[in-house]
Amino acid sequence: MQSKYKKLLNNSVIFAVGSFGSKLVNFFLLPLYTYTLSKSDYGTTDIVQTTVNLLVPIVSLSIFDGVLRFSMDGSKKKEQVLTVGVMGTIIGSFIAVAVGLFLHFFNVSNSLYLVMMLVMQIFQSLFSQYIKGIGKVRTFAFNGVFLTFLTAVFSFISLLILKLSMPGYFISIILATFISNIYLFCRERLYYSISFKNFNSSLFKEMLFFSIPIIPNTIAWWATNAINKYFILFFIGTSANGLFAVANKIPSLLSTVNTIFFQSWQISAIEEFESKNNSKFYSTIFNAYFKIMFLGTSLILFILKPLMTVIVSNSFYHSWKYVPFLLLTVMYSSFASFFDQYYVASKKTIGVFLTTIIGTIINIVLDFVLVPSLGIEGAGISSATSFFAIWLVRIFDTRKFLITKIDYKVFVLNQILIFIQIALLFLLRGVLMYCSSMLVVFAVFFVNRDVMYLTMKTLLSRILK
């Protein structure tokens, strides 16, 4: 196996250890949240967290994206890159705190929790992206598990023992992220690299020129991914948003697969962009990637109903019917994110925004039409459609600098099988539904047997090694 494929695989294995650990703990936190928080409270916490995710790139000027890209650039001094990132992050944090205090003065609910979560998350993004950029992937992966473990411990204490309800949810996230930041800062001795002497104004301008176009893209991406929650909140209410938030947790199993791959793909996409056979490399990886995503989607659909009976309370069980469309959303957004790295690697980040805004417009229009008429299902359908549109646009747009050859025959066959499996969930019940769904799962495995064989062979060899 060529070194570039081997490196991508090795990094993926490392990130798999971290991601599976963190996602598994996160997944088992869901029963804790659904049993200790009401639908309304859970919906509110989800809105606050969603708002934080929107504000992170705005307040920080997305400087952490520049830190990742430029720390991998051999012509740049890593100490200068980190110092520039820290300076930009500190300035943004001061502004955020000032605005948060102003909002608290006017009794805006949860404003202090929001700003504390925001500042902690900004520094988490900065430190973790820098550590990944300088090749410390093991530290990066371990930190994911460590952060989630801390969140679980503090959530257990605050929600079950102290019974702090919604404030306990926020406090657990703030404390966990703060300790994780301290760990990253001390573990890699970042304090030795941060100094006013290392601040380079020209590098600061260059990094901002790279990072700022990512901000509107992130906003548009956030809008495409999260604006549904605000439509649900407006048209239906906070309880419905709580159901939607719980339904969103199930596709996190699939997003784990994407996270594992995406973390290592970010590195390989940048490193291999200038190589002679970059088109073949990108095409080979994407064709294997979409097959794995379809396999994951099919397996989750098969276990969906029995899984919901175990991990959520009875009042949240019916949220299963929203999961299939959200699984499609995760899958299509993952495909779009794959092509997102083409723009980052080529430093043509303006293209990321222009392609994302198309999907955002489609999502908003469909939300206005579908949420009032179909309810929560309409939000899922609009999200899946918009991300599929983004992916299609990027396929054609990225041909300007790199052509990806996709096995469309296998892709379409996979898609048809997934649609059949979704229909079975809604049309059949009991043993007949499970038997029919299992046949579809076998069909999906057969269609993607080549990547399954390679995956199992590689994993077995690494386990034996």
Side-chain angles (χ1 to χ4, degrees):
M1 183 179 289
Q2 298 178 35
S3 59
K4 56 188 176 183
Y5 294 101
K6 190 172 183 179
K7 183 173 183 179
L8 177 62
L9 178 62
N10 287 338
N11 285 340
S12 296
V13 171
I14 294 172
F15 290 127
V17 175
S19 295
F20 271 122
S22 59
K23 291 293 184 180
L24 194 62
V25 175
N26 253 329
F27 189 71
F28 285 108
L29 280 175
L30 185 58
L32 173 64
Y33 295 148
T34 59
Y35 279 96
T36 56
L37 299 174
S38 66
K39 293 179 184 176
S40 180
D41 283 349
Y42 194 78
T44 301
T45 61
D46 187 65
I47 286 292
V48 172
Q49 185 67 66
T50 301
T51 306
V52 169
N53 294 338
L54 167 66
L55 294 176
V56 164
I58 298 174
V59 173
S60 66
L61 296 179
S62 204
I63 197 72
F64 51 84
D65 284 308
V67 167
L68 171 64
R69 180 64 183 87
F70 283 81
S71 62
M72 294 181 64
D73 191 333
S75 64
K76 310 297 181 185
K77 292 183 178 180
K78 292 178 174 55
E79 294 82 5
Q80 292 182 349
V81 171
L82 178 60
T83 299
V84 166
V86 169
M87 295 302 176
T89 302
I90 289 175
I91 294 171
S93 297
F94 273 119
I95 296 173
V97 170
V99 174
L101 291 173
F102 176 79
L103 294 175
H104 180 68
F105 180 77
F106 286 96
N107 296 318
V108 176
S109 60
N110 300 313
S111 56
L112 286 184
Y113 290 128
L114 188 150
V115 74
M116 286 189 287
M117 289 170 63
L118 175 61
V119 172
M120 292 299 105
Q121 186 58 51
I122 290 172
F123 278 97
Q124 176 73 197
S125 299
L126 173 68
F127 294 153
S128 61
Q129 290 297 80
Y130 176 74
I131 285 170
K132 183 165 64 174
I134 61 175
K136 303 288 186 177
V137 293
R138 294 180 186 273
T139 301
F140 179 91
F142 174 77
N143 178 65
V145 180
F146 183 54
L147 174 58
T148 312
F149 173 75
L150 290 172
T151 304
V153 171
F154 289 131
S155 295
F156 181 83
I157 295 172
S158 61
L159 294 175
L160 276 183
I161 298 178
L162 301 180
K163 300 187 183 303
L164 297 178
S165 189
M166 188 164 57
Y169 175 92
F170 294 132
I171 292 170
S172 64
I173 293 177
I174 293 166
L175 288 175
T177 313
F178 175 74
I179 295 173
S180 172
N181 289 339
I182 297 298
Y183 163 74
L184 291 175
F185 189 75
C186 296
R187 174 66 178 83
E188 298 301 329
R189 301 181 180 181
L190 301 184
Y191 41 81
Y192 286 130
S193 301
I194 302 171
S195 171
F196 283 110
K197 295 183 296 182
N198 291 326
F199 184 80
N200 186 312
S201 58
S202 61
L203 177 62
F204 183 54
K205 293 177 183 177
E206 188 178 358
M207 288 175 63
L208 287 181
F209 185 77
F210 172 87
S211 298
I212 287 177
I214 298 178
I215 299 173
N217 167 71
T218 306
I219 295 172
W221 192 264
W222 171 89
T224 307
N225 199 28
I227 202 169
N228 311 75
K229 298 175 183 179
Y230 295 93
F231 276 94
I232 292 171
L233 189 66
F234 179 77
F235 286 112
I236 309 176
T238 53
S239 294
N241 196 66
L243 288 171
F244 187 73
V246 168
N248 257 313
K249 296 297 182 182
I250 307 302
S252 66
L253 293 170
L254 182 63
S255 66
T256 301
V257 178
N258 178 57
T259 300
I260 291 167
F261 170 80
F262 190 75
Q263 300 291 359
S264 53
W265 174 240
Q266 279 185 308
I267 299 171
S268 294
I270 294 171
E271 291 178 340
E272 298 299 326
F273 186 77
E274 300 296 337
S275 65
K276 292 181 180 180
N277 296 320
N278 57 0
S279 179
K280 180 181 178 182
F281 175 69
Y282 281 49
S283 300
T284 301
I285 297 302
F286 181 75
N287 283 309
Y289 174 58
F290 84 68
K291 293 175 183 178
I292 292 173
M293 293 298 288
F294 274 115
L295 284 165
T297 301
S298 181
L299 287 173
I300 294 173
L301 288 172
F302 178 70
I303 65 171
L304 175 58
K305 285 187 176 180
L307 184 65
M308 292 296 286
T309 61
V310 174
I311 65 169
V312 300
S313 61
N314 292 333
S315 58
F316 285 90
Y317 172 75
H318 290 292
S319 59
W320 73 262
K321 64 181 69 173
Y322 316 127
V323 173
F325 305 109
L326 295 174
L327 279 171
L328 293 177
T329 298
V330 169
M331 187 168 63
Y332 296 147
S333 67
S334 299
F335 297 160
S337 295
F338 184 97
F339 284 79
D340 182 36
Q341 294 310 303
Y342 291 32
Y343 298 102
V344 174
S346 62
K347 294 185 179 179
K348 297 177 181 178
T349 48
I350 190 65
V352 178
F353 166 67
L354 295 176
T355 54
T356 303
I357 199 66
I358 295 172
T360 304
I361 294 171
I362 292 172
N363 195 24
I364 292 173
V365 171
L366 289 178
D367 272 333
F368 270 115
V369 176
L370 298 180
V371 173
S373 57
L374 298 179
I376 301 175
E377 291 97 330
I381 294 170
S382 63
S383 283
T385 304
S386 59
F387 278 114
F388 185 74
I390 295 172
W391 175 57
L392 287 181
V393 171
R394 287 183 177 177
I395 290 175
F396 293 100
D397 187 55
T398 54
R399 287 181 177 179
K400 294 180 293 188
F401 41 86
L402 195 148
I403 297 176
T404 305
K405 297 179 181 179
I406 301 172
D407 190 343
Y408 288 106
K409 181 179 178 180
V410 174
F411 183 91
V412 172
L413 185 55
N414 271 297
Q415 188 63 82
I416 292 172
L417 289 171
I418 293 299
F419 283 149
I420 292 173
Q421 196 171 3
I422 292 173
L424 292 174
L425 277 174
F426 286 93
L427 297 177
L428 301 179
R429 293 183 180 181
V431 177
L432 182 59
M433 186 269 292
Y434 288 116
C435 291
S436 302
S437 185
M438 183 177 293
L439 289 175
V440 178
V441 172
F442 285 145
V444 174
F445 270 75
F446 179 77
V447 170
N448 303 294
R449 59 191 180 280
D450 57 336
V451 74
M452 278 301 302
Y453 171 76
L454 180 61
T455 302
M456 295 304 296
K457 180 181 177 182
T458 303
L459 287 176
L460 182 60
S461 65
R462 290 194 65 82
I463 290 171
L464 293 174
K465 183 179 179 181

